[in-house]
């Protein structure tokens, strides 16, 4: 053993006549043995191209809450593609962009659709401005939807909004005492706005004075609306609005 050889040399030195030559031989032999035993690992240095590739790959994939991808989202109603913002520049990590979407007409169409859902939850004065609470509710809602459906919850939200917006409505026509209702087509933008309103209202009423949390009620409402089920408050209201407008044609 290398180290035992060193110890024996220092503990039991040879006679003084041969001391200098022996010590030099032992030390040089010891150095060679130690250098042969120890393997020096060369540091692995990544090339600049690899570093750039890793950075670009991480930067392109934007996932909501770090989990839900926007890449495979499909908007099945061609008339609502421009008003459901969930792709490209509208993909965000959090539904909280702090954008000034009320400064100009139609600007809120560019607001990410999940953020718009969070904003509709801040209704009834006691909830005004509590956006962090709304964002947390939406986060829990998406987790519950994924457990219920095993799908991308952002896709479920988009499908629910497409199914919940009424396509026809009634308006008051006439003046001077003679008033009647006339059926009119609803614009795509108003369909999205109305769908968000109905979904949030249904979830709020379901969770009021109930043991179920707001996130659970909202998840159930979105799943039913995405399936087109009449158990959804938004689907029932949509059918009622369209039935009334059909009778007023």
């Amino acid at each position: 053993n290398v180290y035992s050889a060193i110890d024996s040399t220092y503990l039991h030195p040879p006679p003084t006549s041969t001391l200098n030559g022996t010590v030099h031989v032992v030390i040089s032999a010891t150095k060679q043995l130690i250098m042969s035993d120890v393997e020096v690992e060369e540091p692995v240095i990544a090339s600049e191209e690899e570093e750039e590739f890793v950075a670009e790959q991480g930067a392109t994939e934007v996932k909501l809450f770090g989990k839900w991808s926007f890449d495979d989202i499909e908007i099945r109603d061609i008339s609502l593609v421009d008003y459901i913002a969930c792709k490209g520049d509208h993909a965000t990590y959090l539904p909280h962009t702090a954008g000034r979407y009320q400064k100009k007409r139609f600007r809120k169409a560019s607001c990410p659709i999940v953020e718009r859902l969070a904003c509709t939850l801040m209704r009834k004065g006691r909830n005004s401005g509590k956006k962090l609470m709304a964002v947390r509710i939406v986060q829990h809602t998406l987790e519950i939807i994924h457990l219920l459906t095993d799908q991308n919850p952002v896709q479920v939200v988009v499908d629910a909004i497409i199914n919940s917006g009424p396509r026809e409505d009634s308006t008051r026509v006439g003046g001077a005492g003679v008033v009647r209702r006339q059926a009119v087509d609803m614009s795509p933008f108003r369909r999205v706005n109305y769908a968000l309103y109905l979904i949030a209202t249904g979830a709020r009423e379901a969770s009021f004075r109930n043991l179920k949390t707001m996130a659970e009620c909202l998840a159930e409402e979105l799943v039913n609306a995405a399936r087109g089920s009449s158990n959804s408050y938004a689907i029932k209201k949509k059918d009622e609005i369209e039935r009334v407008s059909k009778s007023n044609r």
Side-chain angles (χ1 to χ4, degrees), residues 60-73 85-86 90-97 112-118 135 137-143 145 152-158:
T60 52
E61 183 70 13
V62 177
K63 291 185 177 181
L64 185 66
F65 295 113
K67 292 186 73 171
W68 316 117
S69 173
F70 291 95
D71 292 340
D72 54 348
I73 301 301
C86 61
H90 307 299
T92 55
Y93 293 101
L94 284 175
H96 196 318
T97 59
I113 196 66
V114 182
E115 182 173 359
R116 292 198 66 193
L117 177 64
V135 169
I137 290 171
V138 169
Q139 184 178 6
H140 294 170
T141 299
L142 298 181
E143 296 282 357
I145 290 173
N152 187 342
V154 181
Q155 181 68 62
V156 175
V157 171
V158 170

Side-chain angles (χ1 to χ4, degrees), residues 96-162:
H96 196 318
T97 59
R100 302 192 299 171
Y101 298 107
Q102 297 296 326
K103 284 293 180 183
K104 198 172 183 181
R105 192 182 182 197
F106 295 116
R107 187 172 287 174
K108 64 183 180 182
S110 62
C111 180
I113 196 66
V114 182
E115 182 173 359
R116 292 198 66 193
L117 177 64
C119 291
T120 56
L121 299 178
M122 297 191 294
R123 293 280 170 82
K124 302 290 184 182
R126 63 180 183 174
N127 297 319
S128 296
K130 298 181 182 178
K131 191 161 186 179
L132 293 182
M133 182 179 74
V135 169
R136 193 186 72 247
I137 290 171
V138 169
Q139 184 178 6
H140 294 170
T141 299
L142 298 181
E143 296 282 357
I144 295 169
I145 290 173
H146 180 66
L147 292 174
L148 291 175
T149 63
D150 202 29
Q151 298 178 21
N152 187 342
V154 181
Q155 181 68 62
V156 175
V157 171
V158 170
D159 291 342
I161 290 169
I162 291 172

Side-chain angles (χ1 to χ4, degrees), residues 168-171 181-185 244-249:
E168 195 179 19
D169 200 358
S170 300
T171 186
R181 296 180 70 83
Q182 173 67 41
V184 291
D185 292 335
V244 170
S245 64
K246 186 176 181 180
S247 66
N248 290 323
R249 283 178 183 169

